[in-house]
Amino acid sequence: GYYRGRVGRWITTAIDMSLVFPPFVLVVVFAAYAGSSVWNIILILSLLSWPIPARTIKAKTLSVRENDFVESTEALGASDFRIMRQEVLPNILPVVFANGILQMVYTILMEAAVGFLGLGDTARISWGTMLYFAQKQAALSSGAWWWMILPGFGIVLAAFSFILVGSALDEVLNPRLQRRTWGDD
């Protein structure tokens, strides 16, 4: 995201082209045709989870690049690598971590959705496959509601836990969000 010109346009075009494809539909199609092994699901989720964080991080990088301290470092003759490592990276790190945490939550939810549809690896136990088998056995109709509630609660708890970790990391890494205590005026 640091470079402008032809390289910047190429990166933006690649990101925009990747954003056109709906990830859930591609995961379902890929899982249906390539097989429902764990490695296939991991591969497709990895290939489809990069465009949104890449766009956000690129925008933040371009924003930091326009600051006076970066321009003054450029004027002093620092290399692009040094500027990116010492000036830009520390300022975009909170955004990188926040996007990483959100992608983990997204991946948990996507895997659970694929498993619930029966397109995941049914030989392996996951929350999505638990929900799939509970739905297949009509758990709610037969009064066994806990078959649906417990895996659903696990999914929600895992996602919420990652969000709390992300919030804590953001508070630690972003000095503007650090809490002030009484008497710090």
Side-chain angles (χ1 to χ4, degrees):
Y2 179 78
Y3 294 107
R4 297 182 199 158
R6 183 172 281 159
V7 173
R9 283 193 302 272
W10 183 82
I11 292 170
T12 302
T13 302
I15 292 170
D16 289 343
M17 286 175 54
S18 298
L19 285 171
V20 169
F21 303 109
F24 184 71
V25 173
L26 289 176
V27 168
V28 168
V29 169
F30 186 80
Y33 286 110
S36 59
S37 75
V38 172
W39 293 109
N40 284 346
I41 301 298
I42 289 171
L43 175 69
I44 192 66
L45 288 176
S46 299
L47 290 174
L48 295 175
S49 65
W50 69 272
I52 293 172
R55 188 171 188 125
T56 306
I57 292 167
K58 182 179 185 307
K60 180 66 175 174
T61 303
L62 288 174
S63 171
V64 169
R65 187 177 199 271
E66 297 300 320
N67 287 330
D68 293 335
F69 61 88
V70 173
E71 290 179 8
S72 62
T73 308
E74 284 176 350
L76 290 173
S79 67
D80 286 346
F81 180 73
R82 183 174 183 270
I83 292 170
M84 286 187 278
R85 190 184 78 233
Q86 292 182 344
E87 304 296 337
V88 175
L89 183 61
N91 288 298
I92 67 165
L93 213 50
V95 173
V96 171
F97 281 124
N99 276 288
I101 295 293
L102 286 176
Q103 283 306 116
M104 286 181 204
V105 171
Y106 171 79
T107 304
I108 288 170
L109 297 175
M110 187 71 74
E111 191 282 328
V114 169
F116 175 70
L117 293 175
L119 298 173
D121 188 0
T122 55
R124 294 185 181 257
I125 300 298
S126 73
W127 288 319
T129 56
M130 289 172 151
L131 290 171
Y132 168 73
F133 286 122
Q135 183 265 337
K136 189 174 179 181
Q137 297 297 323
L140 288 178
S141 306
S142 63
W145 52 268
W146 56 88
W147 285 16
M148 299 288 273
I149 297 298
L150 294 176
F153 183 70
I155 293 168
V156 169
L157 185 65
F160 186 64
S161 298
F162 276 111
I163 289 171
L164 287 178
V165 167
S167 177
L169 276 174
D170 197 27
E171 194 170 306
V172 167
L173 294 174
N174 194 345
R176 289 181 285 178
L177 295 179
Q178 289 178 353
R179 291 191 176 143
R180 297 182 61 157
T181 59
W182 290 98
D184 284 351
D185 298 329

